[in-house]
Amino acid sequence: MASERTSRNQAEYDGPGDHQSGHDHDVTGSTAWRELSAHQPHVYAMHLREVFAVDPERGRDLTIDVGDLHIDYSKHRVLRETLDLLFSLARETHLEDKRDAMFWGEHINTSEDRAVLHTALRLPREATLRVDGQDVVSDVHEVLDRMGAFTDRLRSGEWTGHTGERITTVVNIGIGGSDLGPAMVYQALRHYADAGISCRFVSNVDPADLVGTLADLDPATTLFVIASKTFSTLETLTNAAAARAWLLRGLGIDESDTKNFAVAKHFVAVSTAAEKVADFGIDTDQMFGFWDWVGGRYSVDSAIGLSVMAAIGKEAFADFLHGFNIVDRHFRSAPLHQNAPVILGLIGLWYNNFWGAQSRVVLPYSNDMARFAAYLQQLTMESNGKSVDSHGHHVTTDTGEIFWGEPGTNGQHAFYQLLHQGTRLVPADFIGFASPTDDLPVASSDGGEPGSMHDLLMSNYFAQTKVLAFGKTADEIAAEGVDPHVVAHKVMPGNRPSTSIIAPELTPSVLGQLIALYEHQVFVEGAVWGINSFDQWGVELGKTQAKELLAVLEQSDAPAPQDDSSTDSLIRWYREHRGR
Ligand code: F6P
């Protein structure tokens, strides 16, 4: 890991910044793009049955092992030649230079003039990285140490609430990256919660979320983590203020006494905005910081993971970070043709741009990963849902795959029909594990020894990838004696692509590896498209207009007319039904 230990400052750097200002930014004008376009009809005409028949070793060859992840990408509608062309596209768009620029701390988030350094959050203590004159690694570990000391006190019971009782529930109040990451990880790693502390998550400004979450909690044993990078997010600050009122009321303290010292025993903050935290009434000694170079959707491995650390402990959290780092090192050093995030990112882009696929479905065969698709939606879609490139020019091709999904077998009984027989191409990512987090015996199919419920789950995983790829022809169905009128309805076309990702077990490290695998795919796609994957200006206007419209909803006299007749009449209807 020599390169991680090397500090490079910007003066030494002679990388992609130069390339970016010098070359044609339109990726569709590149040679590789043209060649891929010409090549696509050839692949389109082939069925995966044929692809496997002419290249029988591809099921063994088109796999890659990274850390604990075994990744099979052979069931994709790509030939070896396709992959070579995709690697040429990556080279032509300077993917490796751009990747290195991220790891070195270049300000690749150009619209906000920021470095993008979530990878620094998982560097080991002995690594060195100076960015903009600052020793980033020691900053990261200083916060991790503070988080560890605090969560040790919580977990041991040394930290108590206002009445001297032990904290048993941590409620994280945040939204977007300040919620989805810790909520997903806490659920995925629930087996590692070993200190009698459980977590809950409140995000929505719909009061039902907070009210429902707090309904059966005891203020005396509840600690709130107010998680907000900016500490200015309306939803979070509104919920935090309501939670504080709930706490004070529950402890029999005057609700208006917001600076009461009881608050200090029950509220901590995670933020980059110390002043705003203090304004809210949380002592900055009880704030765990991070930095503007950590995007919200890339922050679960920063102090935003405090609630998770409270539940699973600092050692398991360190394993989680180590998992990310395994994939970071792989992404940074493996050649393109052996680089898992590069291969998977480019295959995603292949379907998105050359096949007209609009979405990718993520199917964990693990109930504990139920929130993974929701987490990935923010990671991928807030990152790559952009219409202008990083220079502000309109892109000339589609960007931003739409991510969606559900845990495996639930999906099978809901939307897999469309995956198997619908008219749309939906590439799928299957995620499964060899060892279960829970298992139960099931009666064996042959009346012998009881089998394993986990094997039953995984038999579905393997069956689905197989059926999607190879299907069942009309001849095969007719040969089974099926009524000829029904044959067409039963044909399984196959030729539907998927990636199979499989790991020994869902451990903290494996979860970190999986997240990093997707983070870097986002990077690969964004880099090839030439967009800035690290800003999110598209969410701002809605926030501003909501503030303005709130004032209109609350007006005591007639509502101010809106610019458009639809919003105007909707607001009038709403106010009427609110009795205003
Ligand atoms: O509105 C989008 C967003 O800015 C996300 O990028 C972010 O994760 C979320 O809001 C929450 O922001 P914050 O952590 O600053 O409260």
Side-chain angles (χ1 to χ4, degrees), residues 72-361:
D72 178 332
Y73 58 98
S74 66
K75 292 194 188 81
H76 276 294
R77 295 182 73 177
V78 293
L79 308 178
R80 292 177 198 246
E81 186 191 344
T82 323
L83 292 167
D84 287 340
L85 288 172
L86 288 168
F87 299 138
S88 300
L89 180 68
R91 278 188 210 96
E92 241 183 294
T93 50
H94 308 283
L95 171 64
E96 287 156 296
D97 289 342
K98 291 175 181 174
R99 173 199 62 192
D100 293 346
M102 174 175 71
F103 277 97
W104 289 330
E106 274 274 296
H107 285 210
I108 62 169
N109 176 354
T110 46
S111 71
E112 295 179 301
D113 192 17
R114 287 177 184 168
V116 174
L117 270 177
H118 44 278
T119 52
L121 296 169
R122 48 264 192 157
L123 281 173
R125 199 179 287 275
E126 62 278 9
T128 316
L129 180 67
R130 287 192 81 79
V131 173
D132 301 337
Q134 190 60 29
D135 179 354
V136 168
V137 182
S138 72
D139 288 353
V140 165
H141 281 272
E142 198 233 328
V143 175
L144 280 171
D145 289 343
R146 286 188 56 232
M147 289 166 65
F150 172 69
T151 54
D152 278 353
R153 291 180 69 197
L154 265 187
R155 289 162 57 80
S156 68
E158 184 193 328
W159 178 289
T160 57
H162 176 61
T163 61
E165 281 180 77
R166 196 182 170 132
I167 299 296
T168 55
T169 309
V170 170
V171 178
N172 184 86
I173 297 182
I175 197 164
S178 301
D179 165 73
L180 286 161
M184 180 276 286
V185 172
Y186 172 70
Q187 186 174 352
L189 299 180
R190 70 192 168 87
H191 275 85
Y192 291 82
D194 58 357
I197 292 180
S198 63
C199 300
R200 296 188 187 187
F201 297 86
V202 173
S203 55
N204 203 323
V205 78
D206 180 344
D209 196 2
L210 187 75
V211 171
T213 303
L214 301 185
D216 59 345
L217 292 183
D218 177 357
T221 58
T222 302
L223 178 103
F224 292 94
V225 174
I226 311 304
S228 175
K229 178 176 170 179
T230 54
F231 229 77
S232 60
T233 304
L234 182 81
E235 291 86 342
T236 301
L237 296 189
T238 308
N239 275 319
R244 185 176 53 196
W246 172 87
L247 177 93
L248 293 173
R249 204 164 51 241
L251 294 175
I253 299 165
D254 177 4
E255 269 177 57
S256 60
D257 185 8
T258 56
K259 298 268 188 290
N260 191 290
F261 64 94
V263 172
K265 303 291 273 175
H266 294 269
F267 274 77
V268 298
V270 177
S271 187
T272 57
E275 235 172 76
K276 291 185 178 137
V277 168
D279 286 350
F280 179 83
I282 298 178
D283 191 333
T284 46
D285 284 350
Q286 291 181 198
M287 175 187 128
F288 300 87
F290 57 114
W291 306 271
D292 70 359
W293 41 259
V294 182
R297 53 196 176 271
Y298 297 87
S299 67
V300 65
D301 45 343
S302 72
I304 290 291
L306 186 69
S307 53
V308 174
M309 191 190 274
I312 69 174
K314 64 183 183 209
E315 292 81 10
F317 198 81
D319 289 344
F320 176 56
L321 298 184
H322 179 63
F324 283 88
N325 183 252
I326 291 170
V327 175
D328 293 344
R329 282 183 281 138
H330 165 83
F331 178 51
R332 193 174 186 179
S333 60
L336 297 181
H337 67 282
Q338 289 167 352
N339 195 311
V342 169
I343 294 168
L344 300 181
L346 290 173
I347 290 176
L349 180 143
W350 166 237
Y351 294 122
N352 190 76
N353 294 130
F354 297 91
W355 295 68
Q358 302 238 338
S359 75
R360 187 181 333 175
V361 65

